[in-house]
Amino acid sequence: MTGFTGFLVKRFLQAIVVLFLVSVIVFVLLHMLPGGPARAILGPKGTPQQIEHFNHQQGYDRSLPMQYAMYLKRLLTGDLGDSFKLNSPVFDLLKQRLPKTLLLTVLSTVLAVVIAVPLGLLQAVRRGKASDYALTGLAFLLYATPVFFLGLIMIILFAQVMPVFPAEAPQGETIGALLGDFTGLILPVVTMAFGIVAMFSRYMRSAVLDNLTEEYVRTAMAKGQSSRRIMVRHVMRNALIPLATLLGLYLPTLFSGALVVESMFNYPGMGLLFWNAAQGSDFPVLLGVTLVVGVATVVGSLLTDVLYAVLDPRIRSVA
């Protein structure tokens, strides 16, 4: 098996192995809870009889290999356990919240890319000039600023000093309801995007500078092609490859940013669910969110590899 198909099969098998390891790690975390899963879930008021009954009901009184086999079977059927604080299956909670977090993440990432790509290109073209130093300084400032501080600035400026946007995100139950109150999404989306722009623009600047020294650029110039045509048709395509890789590997960071932003703006997504679960010691929800984020990271990395190979066919031959 050769070529692009072989590359896809290899990456897919690697993703399966990593997903297996993720499930093992979450299973180990479950058994590292203080006092074991039963004590952590039932709390300090749980009686020995209740703990024994819970362990038998959940299969925690069996051998570890048997417990893992049962755990894996439940995972494959979509059973992530139950939230005893919210009295609801974890899968149902995640099914309600995950699309909302994806909406916030996608909107903020698209906005960040739309800003960062031309910003990084401008910095590369004007390398060493005043505008490059100014934009580089701004990028470092944004990168060093915590997301919660950016959110506070946004709330103070645009919800209090100049009450243009609401300080609280929309509370709709569906994606359509959230988009229907789009003004409420602006501050959370912009807050997340500003934290991403800094890194993306720096990567874009470095990638453009690297490509400007390549032989194909000098060849295109020797053929009389305009600088604009070279930038748009040649340099930009190759410079976007590292950015595509960064997008997939940045998923865990995006979730951590979403956790902070959702908590600040009371956005009803998975980050707010995780935050509330952490405050209430709702361990099944915490582990369920951890598993979903781990799976999303692996899938994002797989999609990144595929996109990387599509953009640069040389990757297929060396992978």
Side-chain angles (χ1 to χ4, degrees):
M1 192 181 299
T2 59
F4 192 48
T5 303
F7 172 82
L8 289 179
V9 171
K10 180 180 178 181
R11 287 293 184 265
F12 181 77
L13 292 177
Q14 289 175 346
I16 294 296
V17 173
V18 176
L19 287 175
F20 169 75
L21 294 177
V22 168
S23 70
V24 171
I25 292 172
V26 173
F27 176 77
V28 172
L29 289 175
L30 177 66
H31 286 270
M32 290 178 64
L33 294 175
R39 175 61 66 186
I41 293 172
L42 296 179
K45 295 183 179 180
T47 64
Q49 293 78 11
Q50 289 174 330
I51 291 177
E52 183 180 358
H53 175 72
F54 182 87
N55 284 333
H56 180 71
Q57 187 181 43
Q58 300 294 324
Y60 293 137
D61 55 351
R62 303 187 183 186
S63 64
L64 283 178
M66 181 63 69
Q67 287 185 47
Y68 178 74
M70 294 171 59
Y71 171 74
L72 197 60
K73 181 180 178 180
R74 289 197 297 266
L75 286 184
L76 294 176
T77 57
D79 183 3
L80 300 177
D82 297 306
S83 169
F84 296 92
K85 301 286 184 180
L86 300 175
N87 194 27
S88 177
V90 175
F91 180 81
D92 291 344
L93 293 172
L94 296 179
K95 185 171 65 174
Q96 296 169 4
R97 302 295 187 99
L98 181 58
K100 300 174 184 178
T101 295
L102 288 176
L103 174 66
L104 180 63
T105 303
V106 168
L107 290 176
S108 59
T109 303
V110 170
L111 178 61
V113 171
V114 169
I115 297 174
V117 168
L119 200 63
L121 184 60
L122 178 62
Q123 288 178 268
V125 172
R126 302 186 64 81
R127 179 185 182 186
K129 297 184 180 180
S131 57
D132 179 31
Y133 290 124
L135 291 173
T136 298
L138 178 62
F140 280 131
L141 179 64
L142 287 175
Y143 186 70
T145 304
V147 176
F148 75 88
F149 188 68
L150 284 174
L152 285 176
I153 292 176
M154 291 293 173
I155 292 173
I156 292 172
L157 287 180
F158 299 107
Q160 296 180 355
V161 177
M162 296 180 292
V164 182
F165 305 111
E168 186 178 59
Q171 300 299 306
E173 292 295 325
T174 63
I175 297 297
L178 294 177
L179 292 174
D181 186 12
F182 194 76
T183 55
L185 284 172
I186 290 178
L187 289 186
V189 168
V190 171
T191 299
M192 276 194 67
F194 275 4
I196 307 172
V197 164
M199 176 174 285
F200 284 6
S201 64
R202 295 300 299 167
Y203 268 79
M204 189 65 189
R205 178 183 183 273
S206 300
V208 170
L209 289 176
D210 288 342
N211 279 275
L212 286 175
T213 61
E214 294 290 337
E215 287 290 337
Y216 74 87
V217 174
R218 288 192 286 269
T219 302
M221 288 181 176
K223 291 181 178 180
Q225 295 187 21
S226 65
S227 299
R228 181 184 179 88
R229 181 182 177 86
I230 293 172
M231 277 290 179
V232 174
R233 300 200 59 180
H234 301 289
V235 174
M236 281 283 291
R237 174 173 177 172
N238 291 313
L240 286 173
I241 294 176
L243 191 62
T245 304
L246 184 64
L247 281 171
L249 300 179
Y250 209 62
L251 276 174
T253 307
L254 287 174
F255 175 74
S256 64
L259 191 154
V260 175
V261 170
E262 290 182 11
S263 302
M264 291 188 65
F265 293 95
N266 196 32
Y267 182 82
M270 203 164 65
L272 183 61
L273 176 67
F274 187 88
W275 175 262
N276 292 335
Q279 290 183 317
S281 299
D282 197 345
F283 295 108
V285 173
L286 294 175
L287 293 175
V289 173
T290 302
L291 180 66
V292 169
V293 173
V295 171
T297 303
V298 174
V299 173
S301 179
L302 176 62
L303 294 177
T304 298
D305 287 338
V306 174
L307 182 60
Y308 205 170
V310 171
L311 293 174
D312 189 353
R314 295 173 299 177
I315 302 299
R316 311 171 197 171
S317 59
V318 298

